[in-house]
Amino acid sequence: MALPIINSIASWLLKKRIHQIELFIKYPNEVQEELLFSLIKSAENTVIGKKYEFSTIKNYNTFSERIPVSTYEELEPLIEQTRKGAQNVFWNTPIKWFAKSSGTTNAKSKFIPVSQEALDLCHYKASKDLLCLYLNNNEESQMFTGKSLRLGGSKQLYENNNTFFGDLSAILIDNMPIWAEFSSTPSNKTSLMGDWETKLPAIINETKIENVTSLAGVPSWLMVLLNKTLEETGKKNILEIWPNAEVYFHGGVSFDPYREQYKKLFPKDNFRYYEIYNASEGFFAIQDQNDSNELLLMLDYGIFYEFIPMDTFGTLNQRVIPLNDVELNKNYALVITTNSGLWRYLIGDTIRFTSINPYRIIVSGRTKHHINVFGEELMVENTDKAIAKTCCELNCEVIDYTVAPIFMENKEKGAHEWIIEFKSKPDSIETFSYKLDKNLQFLNSDYEAKRFNNMTLNPIKVNVARNNLFYDWLKDNDKLGGQHKIPRLSNERKYLDELLKIQTLK
């Protein structure tokens, strides 16, 4: 069968999903309520279902009053029971896969349960929806005439007590539908390689001869791969290697600091960028419009959403609200109940609604990855945008950065200390620091108030990182490749001090 015909058939099949998406857009709260009670009904005879008397929960208020919001640490004992072979603990179908994740704030491994329902009705469904929405917006697409270059953090799955654990990408590859494997590169064997420095050249050798039409991966790590591919091939940009490439699906970190660098890698006016929001716990949102930074919250993936306003988060006045109570342009901590048995789970991300008809969001940061030592409420969203704006103004490029507080001491005012690795440096670090500080004030009124006349905070301090500093830190901490990254912001100095310590060691 000719490739254009395959492309046309695939497009037709995927677009059939559009009317279902339009349904939850039109009736979002009804879809979410029905989903919640379906989850409750499914799990009413589990250990946790009996503990909280799921069979008697008839409305959302009872659900929210009876079941506490939980962190991973609070759910860990139940998860460990299942990892050791117990079943029907928090979900009514067998849980045999666990997505292992160390996170970015804790070296301790987390084992996120993944059910068959989550694979089929969330992760794989989302993969098809991503293509569906893209194709619906770009009818001239020829994406299926080639392959998708996927860059995950996969390692082989490991077995223990008849359960399997590893990176989520390894679980997805292990259960991948034939259609997805056929249309992807590199091979499963190469994708599952654990050592990044061995895996990188293997990916290049396999993919440089393919007709790559789309790419998917975390912006920071994919850029490493793409730059290395240019070095290996001697080409000036990626389109000289893959001339039919038309779209990059990205997620994991903000794209803002990398956007201009990607435009140089793909110098084509109609090259598309589509953002996704997924995690080991589930797939949550997809960009549904060309040239947009807003993501459509997907409401029929077996995930029930709740939200904690960040102005009350972690306080005695903390409150949790359902979808129909959210407001525009407020930061919320995300709480999820899933078809893998995570009940009112605090995932650790913060989001902000840009639209409520339909419900569209942007990911604004992490509950632990912000700075509020001096009441400045600085979010990753602010720093990423400020970095991007400053780089554009001064014609420079940033690879990575992290920020920590300088604490008040001996009557000295506080400040924020940055360490930034540049791909191309500004002419003057002093000018860069000044403009970055001004851009932060423009983007965040709380920070602006604390910086007014140096009343509470002194100007920022910027350290220029040596080449490969962040790469070396990740390598030293066994976090090369895939989904790993250093937190952008922290209320403590742990990461910054570690980076400063190794700044001169290599």
Side-chain angles (χ1 to χ4, degrees), residues 70-332:
S70 300
T71 62
Y72 178 83
E73 288 72 21
E74 290 164 328
L75 294 179
E76 185 180 25
L78 293 179
I79 292 173
E80 281 302 299
Q81 286 181 35
T82 304
R83 285 192 65 221
K84 292 175 180 177
Q87 292 295 343
N88 209 42
V89 177
F90 42 77
W91 190 241
N92 64 314
T93 62
I95 300 288
K96 61 178 181 179
W97 297 293
F98 294 84
K100 184 181 179 182
S101 171
S102 62
T104 48
T105 61
N106 192 333
K108 181 180 179 180
S109 294
K110 298 179 180 180
F111 295 88
I112 306 300
V114 180
S115 68
Q116 187 65 52
E117 290 89 342
L119 287 176
D120 295 338
L121 303 178
C122 183
H123 293 288
Y124 292 136
K125 186 177 181 179
S127 297
K128 289 184 284 188
D129 282 354
L130 174 62
L131 302 178
C132 172
L133 289 165
Y134 172 74
L135 291 170
N136 190 60
N137 292 330
N138 300 278
E139 294 187 356
E140 76 289 353
S141 171
Q142 293 297 306
M143 182 168 56
F144 281 105
T145 62
K147 292 190 175 183
S148 174
L149 192 163
R150 62 188 180 195
L151 182 63
S154 304
K155 295 181 181 179
Q156 291 284 358
L157 292 176
Y158 301 93
E159 184 175 359
N160 185 30
N161 295 313
N162 294 316
T163 63
F164 301 85
F165 65 91
D167 291 350
L168 174 66
S169 47
I171 296 172
L172 296 177
I173 289 172
D174 194 56
N175 294 275
M176 183 178 289
I178 293 175
W179 66 266
E181 184 175 350
F182 173 77
S183 61
S184 300
T185 188
S187 64
N188 287 359
K189 180 180 178 181
T190 300
S191 294
L192 289 167
M193 292 174 67
D195 181 66
W196 170 255
E197 293 181 321
T198 303
K199 180 177 180 175
L200 190 61
I203 293 175
I204 294 171
N205 287 335
E206 279 194 34
T207 59
K208 67 184 181 183
I209 59 173
E210 296 281 6
N211 176 27
V212 172
T213 54
S214 65
L215 304 95
V218 175
S220 52
W221 289 110
L222 185 67
M223 182 168 292
V224 173
L225 171 65
L226 296 180
N227 284 326
K228 189 67 175 177
T229 303
L230 292 179
E231 289 178 21
E232 292 290 322
T233 60
K235 303 298 184 181
K236 293 181 179 179
N237 63 66
I238 296 301
L239 294 177
E240 293 183 3
I241 305 169
W242 301 311
N244 297 316
E246 62 177 74
V247 60
Y248 168 36
F249 301 107
H250 61 88
V253 298
S254 170
F255 194 54
D256 285 338
Y258 304 100
R259 190 176 302 277
E260 294 304 314
Q261 296 177 61
Y262 271 91
K263 286 181 179 179
K264 294 177 181 178
L265 291 170
F266 297 95
K268 184 165 66 174
D269 290 340
N270 62 346
F271 189 85
R272 300 294 187 190
Y273 299 93
Y274 263 62
E275 185 173 355
I276 61 174
Y277 174 29
N278 67 326
S280 297
E281 293 86 352
F283 208 119
F284 310 124
I286 300 172
Q287 179 182 329
D288 67 319
Q289 305 169 102
N290 286 339
D291 306 316
S292 173
N293 68 340
E294 300 173 283
L295 310 181
L296 180 68
L297 191 64
M298 306 304 285
L299 303 178
D300 63 350
Y301 285 177
I303 300 173
F304 179 75
Y305 296 100
E306 296 175 274
F307 309 88
I308 303 175
M310 284 302 290
D311 56 6
T312 67
F313 180 80
T315 71
L316 294 175
N317 297 320
Q318 175 174 298
R319 57 194 181 95
V320 186
I321 61 175
L323 184 63
N324 60 351
D325 285 343
V326 300
E327 300 175 29
L328 290 175
N329 301 316
K330 291 187 66 172
N331 282 306
Y332 294 99

Side-chain angles (χ1 to χ4, degrees), residues 254-493:
S254 170
F255 194 54
D256 285 338
Y258 304 100
R259 190 176 302 277
E260 294 304 314
Q261 296 177 61
Y262 271 91
K263 286 181 179 179
K264 294 177 181 178
L265 291 170
F266 297 95
K268 184 165 66 174
D269 290 340
N270 62 346
F271 189 85
R272 300 294 187 190
Y273 299 93
Y274 263 62
E275 185 173 355
I276 61 174
Y277 174 29
N278 67 326
S280 297
E281 293 86 352
F283 208 119
F284 310 124
I286 300 172
Q287 179 182 329
D288 67 319
Q289 305 169 102
N290 286 339
D291 306 316
S292 173
N293 68 340
E294 300 173 283
L295 310 181
L296 180 68
L297 191 64
M298 306 304 285
L299 303 178
D300 63 350
Y301 285 177
I303 300 173
F304 179 75
Y305 296 100
E306 296 175 274
F307 309 88
I308 303 175
M310 284 302 290
D311 56 6
T312 67
F313 180 80
T315 71
L316 294 175
N317 297 320
Q318 175 174 298
R319 57 194 181 95
V320 186
I321 61 175
L323 184 63
N324 60 351
D325 285 343
V326 300
E327 300 175 29
L328 290 175
N329 301 316
K330 291 187 66 172
N331 282 306
Y332 294 99
L334 185 60
V335 178
I336 58 173
T337 293
T338 77
N339 53 6
S340 283
L342 295 175
W343 297 95
R344 307 196 84 200
Y345 177 80
L346 184 65
I347 191 172
D349 291 340
T350 61
I351 60 97
R352 181 164 56 82
F353 284 89
T354 56
S355 166
I356 56 175
N357 185 26
Y359 286 104
R360 291 196 180 102
I361 64 170
I362 63 169
V363 183
S364 56
R366 298 276 294 171
T367 55
K368 293 183 179 180
H369 298 177
H370 67 288
I371 299 182
N372 192 31
V373 174
F374 312 102
E376 65 273 47
E377 284 289 355
L378 198 66
M379 306 292 291
V380 172
E381 178 191 6
N382 304 142
T383 55
D384 279 342
K385 287 185 180 298
I387 279 279
K389 190 172 188 295
T390 306
C391 285
C392 185
E393 291 170 347
L394 299 179
N395 193 30
C396 56
E397 296 175 342
V398 165
I399 294 174
D400 216 336
Y401 73 88
T402 192
V403 190
I406 299 174
F407 295 103
M408 294 179 177
E409 188 176 359
N410 297 325
K411 297 184 179 180
E412 283 292 320
K413 296 169 184 174
H416 291 172
E417 185 170 6
W418 294 58
I419 187 164
I420 304 173
E421 184 176 346
F422 291 93
K423 182 178 181 182
S424 59
K425 295 179 183 178
D427 293 334
S428 166
I429 293 299
E430 289 74 19
T431 302
F432 180 91
S433 300
Y434 175 81
K435 285 188 172 292
L436 177 59
D437 196 40
K438 288 295 184 183
N439 286 330
L440 287 168
Q441 293 180 50
F442 175 77
L443 291 164
N444 185 306
S445 58
D446 290 322
Y447 179 77
E448 180 184 34
K450 300 302 181 292
R451 283 284 296 114
F452 181 71
N453 287 338
N454 298 342
M455 186 178 300
T456 304
L457 292 176
N458 282 325
I460 63 174
K461 176 182 178 181
V462 173
N463 301 283
V464 178
R466 61 167 172 79
N467 291 341
N468 297 318
L469 176 67
F470 286 82
Y471 185 96
D472 289 339
W473 185 94
L474 289 163
K475 183 178 181 179
D476 290 346
N477 287 274
D478 193 27
K479 290 178 178 288
L480 282 183
Q483 311 299 311
H484 297 301
K485 57 257 183 189
I486 296 176
R488 299 289 205 203
L489 308 180
S490 178
N491 279 318
E492 59 181 12
R493 292 185 58 86

